[in-house]
Amino acid sequence: RVEGSDTVEIEWSGRQSTDVENVGGTYQLLFDLQVRPLPNGEWRDLLVGATDQRSILFRAPCLDTSYAFRVRARAEQPPAPPDGVSPNQRYPGVWSKSQEVFFVAPAPATATPTLTPTLTPAVTPMAISTATITSTLYLPMMERVKIC
């Protein structure tokens, strides 16, 4: 649950499988990260093939919404010589159990209207017509937040 922000830092960790290490070669450990809006959204890639990166900032496009995140590790050899093999040998891992985060929308601001002071017209004793002053109502600007 995230309150007061539309951003969350997602972190992950992992290491190369000993099975892949025993195969030898020049395998790299890569990470893929996906997100989907709940309850029925489609999984979409946030990050594909991260090597040294172990975190990412996610900004929720909608508030009062839950998002699920999942990550997987995979091993790949760089393509073609001199450093790799052709064709590339891939060992994809399984997706992690998804983690849910709910982004709370801020409570609506309650605006207290402020009135300009009532002005008393300066009327000379010889004035024939009457003067009318109307008060102007000012409302503070409020930030608009997209709620889905």
Side-chain angles (χ1 to χ4, degrees):
R1 189 173 168 104
V2 176
E3 295 184 36
S5 177
D6 62 352
T7 305
V8 67
E9 183 175 12
I10 301 166
E11 297 178 342
W12 60 91
S13 63
R15 64 178 184 81
Q16 191 71 273
S17 161
T18 54
D19 292 337
V20 172
E21 288 175 353
N22 291 336
V23 170
T26 57
Y27 285 96
Q28 292 179 313
L29 179 62
L30 306 171
F31 293 97
D32 302 326
L33 178 67
Q34 291 186 329
V35 62
R36 75 180 184 109
L38 296 176
N40 301 326
E42 297 289 323
W43 286 108
R44 39 175 237 259
D45 294 331
L46 280 180
L47 194 61
V48 175
T51 54
D52 296 328
Q53 186 175 358
R54 296 289 194 263
S55 69
I56 190 172
L57 288 177
F58 172 78
R59 184 170 185 197
C62 300
L63 300 178
D64 276 343
T65 302
S66 290
Y67 291 88
F69 301 91
R70 66 183 184 177
V71 65
R72 77 170 172 189
R74 59 187 163 91
E76 288 193 21
Q77 291 196 69
D83 297 328
V85 295
S86 184
N88 185 1
Q89 303 295 308
R90 294 182 175 101
Y91 294 103
V94 295
W95 289 104
S96 68
K97 181 180 175 188
S98 64
Q99 299 293 312
E100 184 178 322
V101 177
F102 180 73
F103 291 87
V104 179
T110 55
T112 306
T114 55
L115 299 174
T116 56
T118 303
L119 301 176
T120 306
V123 180
T124 60
M126 302 206 48
I128 297 173
S129 63
T130 58
T132 304
I133 304 277
T134 58
S135 298
T136 305
L137 178 65
Y138 292 98
L139 294 175
M141 292 297 293
M142 299 174 66
E143 181 180 341
R144 294 181 183 198
V145 178
K146 180 180 177 185
I147 307 294
C148 297

